[in-house]
Amino acid sequence: MSKVEKAVTWAINTANDNTHGYSQVHRWGNPDYDCSSFIISAYEAVGVPVKSKGATYTGNMYSVFKKCGFKDVTKSVNLATGAGLRRGDVLLNRKKHTEMFIGNGKNVGAHIDENGGITGAKGGDNTGREICISNYYNFPWTDVLRFEESGSNEGATAGKFDAYTIAREVMAGKWGNGDERKKKLTAAGYNYAEIQKTVNELYAVNKTVTKGVDTIAREVIAGKWGNGKERKQRLTAAGYSYKDIQRRVNDLLYK
């Protein structure tokens, strides 16, 4: 799993853990977070040293995040609609607020304490909305920052199709075996190691097909099945009904 996916998973899991709420007093997970410490902690927790390098609040996040491997992709995003955003993108208003985009038109972030204030008199999430997932909106954001790393599925292949499509073809025998497979994939512009890694992941998830819809839906919400097209491909490859799983995800999130 890439660092971006790990950061998204950390953020979603923390939002779903009501022992953590909103506070600008106890803001570094002891037990609460505010908007900036939440995003900073999400990436620090997975080995991107934004806190260690000095990020402490929205006013200095931009410069520190850029030094730690993030790219400013604001110009490639429609801030009004969220078009062009990718899972894990950091949404930043340097003067006021920050959240993380997690895909499917959703953000996750720390918002406000149980009394509609900032101090967080009682530790933890007392309303279920202090740290939560919400629909994408334009705060307005001044910047969108994207962490770029090598070794993730996104950009891992130079060929025409994504890693999961090619991995399923490999599993179907379309790319041969052993050295032949490696040569054909390399010649087609694909990263053999990444394709093989994805094949192994798909074989592993095939073994979990006995899990119920509710269990898999909760794993989807936790970020374990990817996002968008990738999620659909992985669930289908594992033998699940994408529509059934997504319906249950929507039930859990919005009802």
Side-chain angles (χ1 to χ4, degrees):
M1 183 184 292
S2 69
K3 288 183 178 179
V4 170
E5 280 301 317
K6 289 179 180 178
V8 171
T9 299
W10 183 96
I12 292 172
N13 288 343
T14 302
N16 290 333
D17 180 354
N18 287 336
T19 64
H20 301 294
Y22 185 97
S23 173
Q24 290 188 12
V25 178
H26 306 289
R27 62 189 292 260
W28 291 108
N30 55 332
D32 301 326
Y33 298 92
D34 64 10
C35 68
S36 55
S37 67
F38 179 71
I39 300 302
I40 292 166
S41 295
Y43 273 101
E44 181 81 16
V46 301
V48 183
V50 286
K51 182 182 179 184
S52 300
K53 296 294 184 179
T56 56
Y57 76 117
T58 55
N60 64 16
M61 282 177 62
Y62 184 88
S63 60
V64 177
F65 274 53
K66 287 284 294 294
K67 292 177 182 178
C68 292
F70 285 79
K71 180 180 179 181
D72 185 338
V73 297
T74 313
K75 292 182 179 180
S76 67
V77 172
N78 184 326
L79 294 176
T81 65
L85 287 171
R86 294 181 185 173
R87 188 170 165 88
D89 283 354
V90 173
L91 308 169
L92 178 65
N93 180 301
R94 299 191 206 185
K95 293 184 178 180
K96 295 183 177 180
H97 190 51
T98 183
E99 296 189 25
M100 181 188 292
F101 183 74
I102 59 172
N104 281 351
K106 303 294 176 185
N107 298 348
V108 62
H111 297 98
I112 199 166
D113 73 14
E114 68 276 10
N115 297 313
I118 62 174
T119 57
K122 294 176 64 178
D125 194 332
N126 299 281
T127 65
R129 301 294 297 172
E130 294 184 40
I131 303 177
C132 66
I133 295 168
S134 62
N135 291 329
Y136 172 79
Y137 66 101
N138 187 13
F139 182 78
W141 310 116
T142 58
D143 311 284
V144 178
L145 300 175
R146 179 173 298 156
F147 185 65
E148 296 191 336
E149 58 186 320
S150 60
S152 64
N153 275 331
E154 186 167 39
T157 59
K160 183 177 179 180
F161 299 104
D162 63 275
Y164 285 95
T165 297
I166 301 303
R168 289 200 312 276
E169 291 183 356
V170 167
M171 293 166 71
K174 296 182 178 180
W175 291 84
N177 194 39
D179 289 341
E180 177 192 9
R181 176 191 299 174
K182 185 174 183 178
K183 290 177 181 178
K184 291 175 72 173
L185 287 169
T186 302
Y190 294 104
N191 183 318
Y192 171 77
E194 288 301 322
I195 297 297
Q196 194 59 47
K197 177 182 176 182
T198 306
V199 168
N200 294 338
E201 289 177 355
L202 290 175
Y203 276 128
V205 297
N206 278 341
K207 298 178 182 179
T208 68
V209 73
T210 56
K211 291 183 180 180
V213 169
D214 189 78
T215 299
I216 299 302
R218 293 178 188 278
E219 290 183 358
V220 166
I221 293 170
K224 295 182 179 180
W225 291 84
N227 186 49
K229 184 179 179 181
E230 176 195 5
R231 176 191 298 173
K232 185 174 183 179
Q233 291 170 341
R234 293 179 65 183
L235 288 169
T236 301
Y240 295 105
S241 167
Y242 172 75
K243 290 184 179 180
D244 289 346
I245 299 298
Q246 194 60 47
R247 185 181 300 113
R248 181 55 180 154
V249 167
N250 293 338
D251 287 342
L252 291 170
L253 288 177
Y254 312 124
K255 293 183 179 180

